[in-house]
Amino acid sequence: MRRKTGFRKGAGFFARTAALTAVLLWGLFPPFSAEAAGRLQDPGEKLVVVIDPGHGGENLGTTENGHEEKSMTLTTALAMYQELSLYDGVEVYLTRSGDEDLTLEQRAAFAESVDADFLFSIHYNASVSHDLFGSEVWVSAFAPYNGYGFQFGNEILQDLRKKGLFLRGVKTRLGEKGTDYYGIIRCSVSRDIPAVIIEHCHVDEPGDAAFCDSEEKLREFGRMDATAVARYFGLKSSFLGVDYSDYPLAQAQDGLTVPVAVCDTTAPTECLIQLEDVDYSTGEMSVSVSASDPDSPLLYYAYSLDGGTTFEPREAWPGADALSGDTGGASFTLELTIPSGERPVLVVRAYNQYDRYAESNVWESSSVFWYREDEETEDVLAPAIGSESREEGEKGETQDASLAPGENPEPEGDGSAGNGGRLPAILAFCLAVLFALFVLLLLLGWMGRIRSMGRRQRRKEPGEKTNQRR
Ligand SMILES: [Zn+2]
């Protein structure tokens, strides 16, 4: 079933009048303007938007982390449909509103049948390594659709960043035949319909999963998508009281006539690491990491302490900005704490916007890191009655232990006992008082019960007792 809306449903007389006024005004003042705010796309007199909930039917999409992408995309798409329908002069359609299995050709053909000005395909992501995170928008590699996709992608990604998501950028990808790799984009563009894929976040990465773990969060994504579409086309909504007709869209970078989404098929050219500082008595070390890529920004890094055999999960490259257009190179200082007993062989990978990486040179520690790791833990867990007496006790203990000055870990221990140790001590003291009260109450209750049992016994055997006394 396909759904269509011209104006808000369930409206009363007022809304109908408003709708009629909007229709009349439509001819005089179109609700969007291509020239204003550097808008590249001019949809003409009528604006038709098609929302495509990705997957459906047998095609489940990703099922990682207990999710089913086909239903997530539908929830988001329905909310997007509702929200976008609140704007003036826009016809909104869904490629599916139920659990249907549609081919990419069918979706694009439907968009063509309603004379769509844009198709927005709604998706959620997952990665093989389960450590990728962030939002991205895939667009056509070809003009003018590339520029349209970039201007829209820039809008939705700004919103997703404000929400706290990491950005993977507005991207393009080519297939073997040199056409757009993603079918929904390829099939739409071949019908002269701009199309984008919005990958909202990764369902299988703990950080991102928190953004999509409820129906309401999925609907929120949909409303966000609709607002980005409204800004992209410069729409107004008398119902919402907003007007984006002069909203400025992203403009071209230096030397280009239109803003473009990049396509990078190569790895960063190099990644270098250099030791800045190391402290074998605490395990702390800092290493400068630098990498360069002339084609796309650096987005992630991952490090290995075993010479590249295993890597820690990917982390955001500090200061990464997939929308800045900054290419060339970047560097940061990596702070690590090496576990005691280990001799690290450090290797770092620098990932670009297309998840391609360059591996660094190897930094091999000349000796094993060996230090007392458990000192702080012992301090926190030490039984304490009062913080003052505890400090004294500890000093005494250390003196008794008579460690050689070099081996004495006390300076560290002292610091944490004085500062970090006070709060646990107070807590422990409060707990001890509570426990004592509890025991006291138990005792009182117990004594009370014994006494009342005694009284009951006396009541039961009055004769005997009197007899005995007598
Ligand atoms: Zn998908």
Side-chain angles (χ1 to χ4, degrees), residues 48-364:
V48 180
V49 169
V50 169
I51 300 167
D52 173 42
H55 314 282
E58 300 276 288
N59 179 352
L60 306 177
T62 181
T63 52
E64 291 291 345
N65 213 3
H67 286 97
E68 205 167 60
E69 191 190 346
K70 65 168 187 178
S71 41
M72 297 174 78
T73 61
L74 186 58
T75 302
T76 299
L78 287 169
M80 182 182 179
Y81 171 92
Q82 279 181 346
E83 183 76 9
L84 195 55
S85 301
L86 300 177
Y87 286 85
D88 306 337
V90 54
E91 269 182 31
V92 193
Y93 297 87
L94 286 157
T95 54
R96 68 176 177 97
S97 55
D99 189 15
E100 292 161 75
D101 201 345
L102 296 169
T103 65
L104 301 173
E105 274 290 346
Q106 283 172 320
R107 293 165 201 256
F110 168 71
E112 187 178 32
S113 74
V114 296
D115 203 13
D117 291 298
F118 216 117
L119 180 144
F120 298 93
S121 197
I122 307 301
H123 289 259
Y124 287 89
N125 220 342
S127 68
V128 177
S129 52
H130 307 305
D131 68 341
L132 277 186
F133 52 90
S135 315
E136 68 196 353
V137 175
W138 290 98
V139 307
S140 171
F142 302 100
Y145 316 103
N146 178 273
Y148 299 168
F150 182 87
Q151 283 200 322
F152 168 75
N154 198 70
E155 288 310 311
I156 183 61
L157 290 182
Q158 305 265 18
D159 292 348
L160 292 165
R161 170 153 59 195
K162 276 182 211 144
K163 200 176 160 66
L165 280 150
F166 180 73
L167 299 192
R168 289 165 55 74
V170 185
K171 301 152 83 173
T172 69
R173 185 173 170 186
L174 294 176
E176 280 175 6
K177 290 176 185 165
T179 52
D180 283 311
Y181 174 83
Y182 291 106
I184 191 66
I185 295 174
R186 189 176 61 248
C187 297
S188 299
V189 160
S190 70
R191 292 168 165 85
D192 194 25
I193 301 165
V196 296
I197 293 172
I198 309 169
E199 293 282 3
H200 290 86
C201 63
H202 289 73
V203 303
D204 62 337
E205 194 274 334
D208 268 20
F211 286 94
C212 60
D213 59 4
S214 77
E215 290 279 304
E216 179 47 29
K217 288 177 185 176
L218 300 178
R219 283 192 287 271
E220 202 183 302
F221 275 127
R223 292 192 289 269
M224 200 174 272
D225 294 341
T227 308
V229 171
R231 292 205 307 269
Y232 172 75
F233 282 114
L235 301 181
K236 297 175 195 171
S237 168
S238 33
F239 181 79
L240 297 169
V242 291
D243 180 356
Y244 293 119
S245 49
D246 289 326
Y247 192 90
L249 297 181
Q251 297 306 303
Q253 306 278 331
D254 293 344
L256 298 167
T257 51
V258 291
V260 288
V262 291
C263 182
D264 185 2
T265 54
T266 54
T269 43
E270 64 171 355
C271 178
L272 290 168
I273 58 172
Q274 196 174 7
L275 181 72
E276 281 181 357
D277 202 12
V278 61
D279 185 346
Y280 282 93
S281 67
T282 60
E284 283 160 21
M285 63 182 283
S286 50
V287 178
S288 79
V289 180
S290 61
S292 48
D293 192 320
D295 310 311
S296 70
L298 296 156
L299 292 194
Y300 307 93
Y301 72 89
Y303 67 87
S304 165
L305 294 177
D306 57 13
T309 310
T310 57
F311 280 82
E312 294 296 312
R314 261 170 276 204
E315 295 198 37
W317 186 282
D321 184 356
L323 294 182
S324 67
D326 288 343
T327 56
S331 57
F332 69 96
T333 299
L334 174 62
E335 308 276 359
L336 294 172
T337 303
I338 307 300
S340 182
E342 283 197 17
R343 193 176 71 87
V345 183
L346 182 68
V347 178
V348 176
R349 280 177 179 172
Y351 291 83
N352 69 17
Q353 197 180 0
Y354 285 76
D355 306 315
R356 294 172 189 273
Y357 65 86
E359 210 161 275
S360 74
N361 52 307
V362 177
W363 179 83
E364 194 166 350

Side-chain angles (χ1 to χ4, degrees), residues 375 378-379 382-383 389-403 408 410:
E375 204 52 36
E378 277 178 13
D379 277 339
S389 65
R390 182 166 167 260
E391 269 177 41
E392 277 170 28
E394 271 187 8
K395 275 173 197 154
E397 266 172 42
T398 320
Q399 277 156 9
D400 287 345
S402 61
L403 290 165
N408 189 351
E410 187 54 23

